[in-house]
Structures are given as C-alpha cells and as structure tokens.
Amino acid sequence: MTETHPRSRDAEYAVVVPTLGRPGLRVCLHALAEASGPGPLRVVLVDDRPGPVRPPLTADVPPSLRSRTIVVPGGARGPAAARNVGWRAAGDVPWIVFLDDDVVPGPTWGDDLTLDLAAATERTAGITARIEVPLPTDRRPTDWERNTAGLAGAHWITADMAYRRAALAAVGGFDERFRRAFREDADLALRILDAGWTLTGGRRTTTHPVRPAGRWISVRLQAGNADDVLMTRLHGRHWWRRAEAPRGRLPAHLAVTGAAVTALGCALLGRHRLAGACAAAWLAGTAEFALARILPGPRTRDEVLTMAVTSTIVPPAATWHWLRGRLAHRKARPLTPLGTGEPAPAPRPAVRERLRS
C-alpha cells in the first residue's frame, strides 16, 4: 500500500488514528503502508498526548504515507473526542476508518477493505473488521490476556471500524462524555442503528496485541462501571442485550462490598454475631471471585498473588466507580429519536501539521 490506487469515489477512505505516542504507532503505520490494496486518501494522526512539550510523531510515519498524513492536536480529552477531531479533519471522503495506535492491519488489509466497502449498501453505516488477539501457546493466558482476548468478540470495536462519514455527521459523532476507551464505540453504534442505518461485518483482519500491563490493571479497569451507568441512562437498562455485551460481575461486587461494610459497621456497634456472618459472606464471595480468575490462568506464583490481592480490591473499586457514575451522570437524559436534547459540542477547528518526506 505504497501509493493510492485508482478507485471509485465511493471507495475512497481516510484513516484516523488517535494516539498517545505509544510504540505500537510505528508498527501500526508501517503495517498500513505495507498492506496490499488501495491506500487511504488521507491519514489523520490525532495527537492526544497531554502537555505542551511532546516529541514529534514524524519519525513514526513511513515515507510512503507522509504526503498523505496530517497531525492534529486532540487536547487530551480522551479517545471519543480525539476521533471526533480526526474524522472532522479528514475532509470530504465517503469513509472514515478508525484504527487504534496499537493494532496491526493484516497484509491484505487494503484489498479486503476495498471488498468490504464495495459490499456496502446505501444504508450501511459501518463495517467492522475481524480482530485477532494472539495469546501464548505454551501456557494458559493470564487474567489480563483473557480480558484483552475478549476484544476479538466485541461488537463494533473501533480498534478497526470503518464508518460512513455521512452517518457520523448525522448522529454528531462520538459522545465525548465517554472519556475512556470504553463503551464509546457501543454508544455510537446504538445511536447509528437507532437512526435507521445498518452495521455489518467485514473480511479484513487486524491483529490487536496484548499490551504490557501492571499488577493493578484489573483494578483500574473498574472505572468502566461509571461508563456503564451513562450507557444505561442513555439507552435504557436493556442496552446490554442490544450490544451483546457481557454483564460482568457488578451485582456480585456490590453484594460483596455491602457484606464487608455491614460487617465493619456491626463490629463497631458491638453486634458481633451479625458482623461474623457478614464477614463470612465477604470472605466466601472474595474467595469465589479469586478462584474464578485463578483456575483458568497459568497459576504461576505471581499470577496467583496478583489475583488474590486484586480480588479483594476489585469489588469496592467497582462499587466506588458505579456510585461515582450515578452521581456524575444523574442529569443525563435518555436518548430519543431526535437525540438527547442536550447541546452537541461544537466542532473545534483542527490545527493541521502536514508531514513532508
């Protein structure tokens, strides 16, 4: 994919990559440049790194893409806002393909995308890619690796998702209240479906590697419970079924945390029998949670220690973020066919930096 190929206007596309400057960006762009098939009309890198002093992204862009690449600032407002900046800066192209900066498009990605776009009808708003998550073959995957592997079955994941520009404009793009890389893709897809468009699966393949993560990654991920509250406020309590999203363990986490808080309260009030019963319930719930995470894994000393420790922290963390979401999104109104009635954020003019070879 070293040059753009002649093609019909309907098959033209731009690639938008929000990035935090992670090392995977170079790999992603080089795989895009080397893939067979018609290349993008334009590549938009949305620099979403915080702070005014940042090393340039120029070195990550392969020479064959430089004349077609622009860099725009994202403002460090999260992936939803960064993607909005990107597709609005991409210009008048029929299709916008969103890629994460840590994915690797397959060797025939351009050819396969062309076939995906050719199969689209006038009502097709988006086409997903097939996401592959490579897992270790010499041992059982860790909890974090299994979590990442779930992306392969996720619906409408924007790690590689082609959207018709007209559909994005019709619904106002991504909802920028989703500040994390979580649920912003499902929210957009449900709003597009509600607007009468369709979403289909494509044939192009993209690899999503498991990135390195620390011991506390499972605790940090509980922040997504606040985003789930917003999803419920916007789309109703049955949005899980429409998005075919797993429900997770929030009800169990609330129960386990409630048992711990009640045990502590009863102990302070001198009600030792009830405190003991609640403490036993907390211990049983925590042990069940830890075993559910340990048994499918490699069961190494480090993994068992990590699961044992974080299994005591995850339930209260999930509860905290759920309560935080209930407070933060208490005024969010349900979506209607005409939208929420809330003012859409005004598009910000993009300051463009065109790369030169």
Side-chain angles (χ1 to χ4, degrees), residues 39-84:
L41 198 65
R42 192 166 295 110
V43 177
V44 182
L45 301 181
V46 185
D47 189 346
D48 210 32
R49 293 172 295 178
V53 180
R54 300 164 295 191
L57 299 173
T58 309
D60 292 330
V61 182
S64 63
L65 291 180
R66 290 196 170 195
S67 63
R68 288 173 270 163
T69 299
I70 60 174
V71 179
V72 297
R77 294 178 296 128
R83 291 191 182 102
N84 280 342

Side-chain angles (χ1 to χ4, degrees), residues 18 38 59 102 105 118 120 122 157 172 176 199 220 284 287 289 320:
D102 58 348
E122 291 184 352
I157 178 174
E176 299 183 7
L199 301 171
R220 293 198 297 271
F289 181 41
W320 161 252

Side-chain angles (χ1 to χ4, degrees), residues 262-280:
T262 304
L264 181 60
C266 290
L268 292 175
L269 295 173
R271 302 180 64 177
H272 300 297
R273 178 172 294 183
L274 184 56
C278 291

